[in-house]
Amino acid sequence: MATAVQPIALVTGATSGIGEVTARELAQQGYHVVLLARSAEKAARTRQQIQDAVGLGQRVDVLLCDLADISQVQRAAAEFNQRYPQLDLLINNAGLLFGKPRQVSVDGLEMTLVTNHLGPFLLTALLLDKLLLSPAARIVNVASMAYKMAQPRLDDLGQQRSYSPLQQYGNTKLYNIMFTQELARQLRERGITNVVTNSLHPGVIASNFGTNASGWLAKATSLLRPFMISPQKGAETTLYLATAPEVGQVSGGFYIKKKAEAVKHSFNTPANAQQLWQESERLVKRNFFLY
């Protein structure tokens, strides 16, 4: 009798917070989980903890990658594409809040923009062929209600003219939502029905969030931590979008507490979503769809 093939899930930001909870829960549900992480030490520790929890019957692997480094994203995607036959679930969970002064990546891109939006955008593009090989693939993008703080400028996504840490974080969370909406539209336009994508607000999580910030921003996140929800609670909507049968045919939605919600922001228009997509392609030097 043939052994059932384990579905494969790739989770970014999987060494702490809701990413770690999500990865562990998926492994317990029978997924072969790949942890994408920046730190080899943290990734090895997380992998061992999950492996101990689920037993040797479930595979848990590590893929090292800093999403803020375009060449690392390219290398990690190439490694995944070589090692695995398909991808059934991609969870773009990693996200950081940076403080002042404005920081840039090795590619000269503003750090919040590349970590929270451009890196996941490119990773998804590079893994698309493996997602297409799944009978029913899902892409889950972890966004935030912080999108309400967004004041984007399409001609200055990296906020070179006027940098605000919180506003830029809000901008990237709006970009996560708009990327999801535009990806869903383009998949439908191409007649691709076996890949769906949705985004969500997980709640305000008591985790390591904000530790990259400095000054008053770091103090504020520290003071607010007692009022935040647990990573376990925060992971619930991610896991719902990843596994619930009723959302397996839904694409382009934004969810809060497992319910679809309207995205109310003046910048969130189809025209701006398409321009954001084109500018993202330009900045990562890659067309998302190669056909």
Side-chain angles (χ1 to χ4, degrees):
M1 188 173 175
T3 305
V5 178
Q6 289 182 334
I8 300 172
L10 175 65
V11 184
T12 75
T15 58
S16 65
I18 61 174
E20 183 179 355
V21 173
T22 300
R24 184 175 65 247
E25 289 292 326
L26 289 171
Q28 288 174 336
Q29 290 183 36
Y31 281 83
H32 170 181
V33 176
V34 182
L35 313 171
L36 187 136
R38 289 180 298 164
S39 164
E41 184 182 346
K42 283 184 182 177
R45 185 169 63 245
T46 303
R47 180 197 169 280
Q48 192 58 54
Q49 288 169 347
I50 295 174
Q51 195 72 75
D52 289 345
V54 299
L56 296 175
Q58 299 296 119
R59 278 185 63 185
V60 184
D61 297 338
V62 168
L63 195 56
L64 293 177
C65 175
D66 183 348
L67 287 167
D69 185 331
I70 297 299
S71 67
Q72 286 196 38
V73 176
Q74 292 168 332
R75 178 198 49 73
E79 188 177 334
F80 183 95
N81 289 336
Q82 185 177 22
R83 284 168 64 180
Y84 304 102
Q86 67 189 49
L87 178 57
D88 302 282
L89 176 58
L90 171 60
I91 298 186
N92 288 313
N93 165 79
L96 291 174
L97 172 64
F98 293 87
K100 283 189 173 181
R102 179 180 180 273
Q103 300 175 52
V104 296
S105 70
V106 292
D107 303 290
L109 299 164
E110 191 275 320
M111 282 295 286
T112 315
L113 177 68
V114 67
T115 303
N116 295 359
H117 169 60
L118 294 175
F121 177 90
L122 178 60
L123 180 69
T124 307
L126 294 170
L127 296 178
L128 181 62
D129 283 347
K130 291 295 181 181
L131 288 158
L132 292 171
L133 290 174
S134 169
R138 302 188 193 193
I139 302 164
V140 178
N141 296 319
V142 179
S144 169
M145 284 293 287
Y147 83 80
K148 290 179 177 289
M149 297 188 296
Q151 295 182 38
R153 297 185 297 269
L154 282 166
D155 63 344
D156 187 21
L157 293 184
Q159 282 199 337
Q160 285 184 293
R161 295 200 296 272
S162 176
Y163 173 69
S164 160
L166 277 174
Q167 188 186 92
Q168 183 67 337
Y169 179 78
N171 288 348
T172 60
K173 295 295 101 181
L174 182 58
Y175 302 157
N176 294 156
I177 294 167
M178 293 173 70
F179 164 50
T180 304
Q181 294 172 338
E182 179 62 11
L183 176 56
R185 187 192 71 79
Q186 293 211 32
L187 289 168
R188 283 193 295 267
E189 190 178 72
R190 287 169 169 78
I192 297 169
T193 58
N194 64 314
V195 181
V196 299
T197 180
N198 291 287
S199 63
L200 69 124
H201 168 66
V204 183
I205 311 300
S207 66
N208 295 329
F209 180 78
T211 52
N212 286 68
S214 58
W216 70 268
L217 204 53
K219 276 185 192 168
T221 53
S222 177
L223 288 169
L224 288 169
R225 194 156 282 120
F227 305 99
M228 298 174 178
I229 64 174
S230 69
Q232 285 75 17
K233 194 76 177 165
E236 286 180 359
T237 303
T238 300
L239 289 163
Y240 172 73
L241 291 176
T243 62
E246 62 266 31
V247 286
Q249 301 298 318
V250 177
S251 202
F254 175 64
Y255 286 74
I256 303 172
K257 295 181 180 177
K258 304 183 186 178
K259 291 189 182 342
E261 298 280 347
V263 178
K264 297 176 181 176
H265 196 289
S266 59
F267 186 79
N268 185 35
T269 67
N272 282 344
Q274 288 175 41
Q275 286 187 33
L276 172 65
W277 183 284
Q278 290 162 8
E279 184 63 7
S280 300
E281 287 183 327
R282 185 185 73 80
L283 290 170
V284 301
K285 301 180 174 62
R286 157 89 185 202
N287 287 339
F288 194 95
F289 291 95
L290 297 179
Y291 48 88

